[in-house]
Amino acid sequence: KRTLKAPPFVFGLYQAYGVGESGSTVNLRKKPSLKAVVLAKVPLGQRVAVREKTNMEWWKVAYLQFTGYMMRKFLKTEEGENS
């Protein structure tokens, strides 16, 4: 039996990249709210796995050992989709 090892981002519905006009990171939050705790600061251009397109403003994503929410406007899918 062969076991494939892959980074966590491979197992999402979609892959996306953090994008932004300023700064160098995008916040990954515990809940879909600007007031929620920041779980991680994801570097711009870093791949994340989109687990769920929660609503028009927030997507649930996985990054390293964290699963949380990022604002959609800071994500761009490999197909080019963003806000």
Side-chain angles (χ1 to χ4, degrees):
K1 223 177 192 184
R2 195 169 127 189
T3 303
L4 297 175
K5 292 184 179 181
F9 65 77
V10 172
F11 302 108
L13 298 173
Y14 308 91
Q15 289 184 29
Y17 299 89
V19 295
E21 294 178 8
S22 64
S24 58
T25 62
V26 178
N27 290 331
L28 176 64
R29 296 184 179 273
K30 187 172 184 174
K31 295 181 180 182
S33 167
L34 288 174
K35 295 180 181 179
V37 172
V38 175
L39 299 173
K41 292 185 176 287
V42 180
L44 295 182
Q46 181 64 51
R47 288 182 181 182
V48 297
V50 178
R51 301 285 192 209
E52 176 184 295
K53 293 183 177 182
T54 309
N55 58 42
M56 294 300 292
E57 193 173 3
W58 295 91
W59 286 358
K60 186 175 186 177
V61 302
Y63 171 69
L64 300 176
Q65 72 268 30
F66 304 103
T67 298
Y69 296 86
M70 282 185 161
M71 292 188 79
R72 178 182 176 195
K73 69 181 181 180
F74 296 120
L75 291 167
K76 184 173 183 179
T77 66
E78 293 191 332
E79 292 80 33
E81 180 183 349
N82 67 352
S83 61

